[in-house]
Amino acid sequence: MRRRAAFSEHDMPAPSDDEALAIAFAAHDRTAFDRAYRAYAGLLYSAAYNVLGNGQEAQDCVHDALVRIWRSPQAYSPARGTLRSFLVVCVRNEAISRRRRHGRRMQMEERLAAQPPEHDQLPDSDPIERDRVRSALAGLPVEQRVPLELAYYQDKTHREIASELRQPLGTVKSRIALGLRKLAQALQPAAQADRR
Amino acid sequence: MTGHISDEAALYALGSLSDEERAAVEAHVQACSSCAALLGAAEQDVAFVASMEPQHDAPPLLAGRIARTLDRRSTRQWQPFAALAAAFVIGLLPSAYFWQQNQSLHSAMSAQTAAIQRVASTPHRMAHFRGMNDRGSASVMYAPDGSWYVVLVRDVSKSLEVAWMHDGEKTMLGTAQAHDGVAMLYLPRSHRMDQLALMDGARTVAVADLSY
Ligand SMILES: [Zn+2]
């Protein structure tokens, strides 16, 4: 985090490293791609892994998503927000598409039941870390929590969620959007504790 | 999508839109900065939530795998751009041209890239070959100090040798092979040459006089 106090009111703060990286990435600077990868690789791989539950598929997913982004030069613009969140969402959306293609939960749960977890690759995560998104979700009002869980964990489209919950599409959409905002706010204290 | 987005931003970021809806959002935010900012905020929320889930290190080999794919592609993608850049710089508009000098595609592409960068970024001179007649037109772009040369032949159906004429002798420099009617030869490290010839076998078909 940039400290505002370090600048007088008349000083224009220099772009942060993240901003400079985002601008260079948008300009299709190949070295910016490498720097972005180094900065965000763990986050991107984890986002894919947490959806797909399989290390090899997560690697394929990160590979395909990043290659596709780089081949469509207009995909990212700094006007849209941070490069970091843009990349995470792209990778996560790619992971969700893959899981939809490969037949959703059932298949994955069968596979997970059949195989021991990949202990050599992934150490057991801290149970607090593992459960904190779920506990934050549990604090949301039920009408927001249920559709948001279906979207976030079960890769359902808003249309599928609306028909499953027998609610109007518009209602489901706004509840998911509101739920997401509240979930992010509910997780702020945990993030601040992490930074300390 | 006709209007601005609202709740669709969160749905996009969560991956809850259909492929068509997702494409419509992407198209809209290209042109609408307020919706782009809205989408960015939703992406920020989803990325933040995702970052609060268990984190793992990316496997070390993944970086190299991605880099290999990107660099393989960028070589191929460079080709049409390079041809266009050369056409612009040199003032010709060939439908395509190829640099073929018994090299692998990769080194050929980097040589071509180097040629275009040189012609585009440094001062250069130009001389035309005389005697082409119905064999198309040919010219040479070269450094004022003679350190590099780009020979370009247009509207040719066969390959031509490029020779340096000096002291009543010919020194063969290389072959400009024809492809789609255009041939090119790049001599990246050279010395000052006053006269170049295009050869069809043993026969001189055109000569260019260069001044420094
Ligand atoms: Zn808009």
Side-chain angles (χ1 to χ4, degrees):
Chain A
M1 270 289 141
R2 171 167 297 282
R3 285 205 193 163
R4 292 258 155 208
F7 299 93
S8 81
E9 283 198 343
H10 302 289
D11 281 339
M12 278 289 286
S16 70
D17 288 350
D18 277 357
E19 286 163 341
L21 178 57
I23 291 165
F25 189 98
H28 220 63
D29 174 347
R30 181 67 175 78
T31 63
F33 181 92
D34 293 339
R35 280 184 287 145
Y37 183 84
R38 280 197 297 277
Y40 309 132
L43 198 58
L44 301 179
Y45 177 72
S46 302
Y49 187 91
N50 289 332
V51 170
L52 294 163
N54 173 290
Q56 188 54 52
E57 279 190 52
Q59 288 191 53
D60 292 350
C61 169
V62 173
H63 172 274
D64 290 3
L66 292 182
V67 167
R68 198 181 54 244
I69 290 165
W70 199 245
R71 281 178 195 168
S72 46
Q74 292 191 321
Y76 173 71
S77 145
R80 179 154 165 178
T82 67
L83 178 61
R84 178 183 186 270
S85 51
F86 167 78
L87 293 175
V88 170
V89 166
C90 281
V91 166
R92 204 174 166 276
N93 279 349
E94 169 71 24
I96 289 169
S97 298
R98 278 170 176 262
R99 202 163 76 170
R100 284 198 186 126
R101 282 202 298 275
H102 297 310
R104 291 186 184 276
R105 281 263 152 189
M106 281 306 288
Q107 208 187 4
M108 191 177 88
E109 274 161 11
E110 281 165 13
R111 193 177 55 225
L112 289 177
Q115 287 176 5
E118 301 170 22
H119 281 297
D120 52 330
Q121 210 169 350
L122 299 173
D124 275 342
S125 50
D126 176 352
I128 296 173
E129 200 179 54
R130 201 170 53 222
D131 292 336
R132 61 189 173 188
V133 173
R134 285 198 183 271
S135 14
L137 264 167
L140 296 186
V142 65
E143 71 271 15
Q144 290 156 21
R145 175 173 58 80
V146 172
L148 183 57
E149 278 176 342
L150 290 171
Y152 189 81
Y153 287 115
Q154 311 233 346
D155 321 327
K156 302 232 163 148
T157 68
H158 62 292
R159 288 177 202 286
E160 291 168 330
I161 296 167
S163 84
E164 192 168 320
L165 299 178
R166 296 207 181 88
Q167 288 172 0
L169 197 59
T171 307
V172 164
K173 285 163 77 169
S174 61
R175 284 177 175 173
I176 291 173
L178 189 59
L180 173 64
R181 204 67 276 288
K182 285 194 182 171
L183 176 62
Q185 281 161 5
L187 283 163
Q188 283 294 344
Q192 275 154 17
D194 268 8
R195 277 186 215 121
R196 266 178 227 133
Chain B
M1 179 158 318
T2 51
H4 298 296
I5 61 171
S6 57
D7 296 333
E8 288 82 7
L11 298 170
Y12 179 100
L14 284 161
S16 295
L17 294 180
S18 67
D19 291 347
E20 297 76 32
E21 291 163 333
R22 194 190 296 188
V25 169
E26 278 165 4
H28 181 78
V29 300
Q30 295 275 347
C32 178
S33 58
S34 61
C35 288
L38 196 67
L39 182 62
E43 289 182 330
Q44 189 103 38
D45 282 343
V46 169
F48 172 60
V49 172
S51 75
M52 298 304 283
E53 303 225 56
Q55 296 295 298
H56 315 289
D57 289 335
L61 293 179
L62 182 55
R65 185 182 155 201
I66 293 168
R68 278 192 301 279
T69 307
L70 292 185
D71 296 337
R72 196 169 64 231
R73 285 294 297 197
S74 62
T75 300
R76 240 180 281 145
Q77 284 179 338
W78 173 245
Q79 199 167 333
F81 173 74
L84 199 67
F88 174 75
V89 165
I90 294 164
L92 300 172
L93 282 172
S95 59
Y97 75 90
F98 271 67
W99 158 267
Q100 289 180 336
Q101 202 46 18
N102 302 321
Q103 293 166 10
S104 70
L105 179 63
H106 181 80
S107 61
M109 294 315 296
S110 28
Q112 177 177 299
T113 303
I116 284 142
Q117 282 173 346
R118 279 216 152 143
V119 174
S121 66
T122 59
H124 61 273
R125 293 170 186 234
M126 189 164 181
H128 293 279
F129 283 88
R130 291 171 278 109
M132 288 299 288
N133 300 327
D134 56 346
R135 290 166 180 272
S137 64
S139 52
V140 53
M141 272 68 51
Y142 58 102
D145 64 356
S147 58
W148 56 264
Y149 299 78
V150 178
V151 175
L152 196 88
V153 189
R154 191 170 56 158
D155 299 331
V156 280
S157 53
K158 62 190 294 187
S159 302
L160 296 170
E161 305 280 318
V162 179
W164 171 35
M165 315 285 279
H166 59 104
D167 308 321
E169 290 181 32
K170 293 187 191 83
T171 302
M172 304 311 284
L173 301 171
T175 308
Q177 283 190 359
H179 188 99
D180 283 358
V182 181
M184 176 181 160
L185 178 65
Y186 173 45
L187 303 167
R189 279 176 295 279
S190 195
H191 56 280
R192 193 172 283 199
M193 297 184 284
D194 292 320
Q195 197 173 57
L196 294 179
L198 290 174
M199 312 286 297
D200 181 1
R203 200 162 55 85
T204 304
V205 293
V207 174
D209 291 307
L210 290 66
S211 60
Y212 295 92

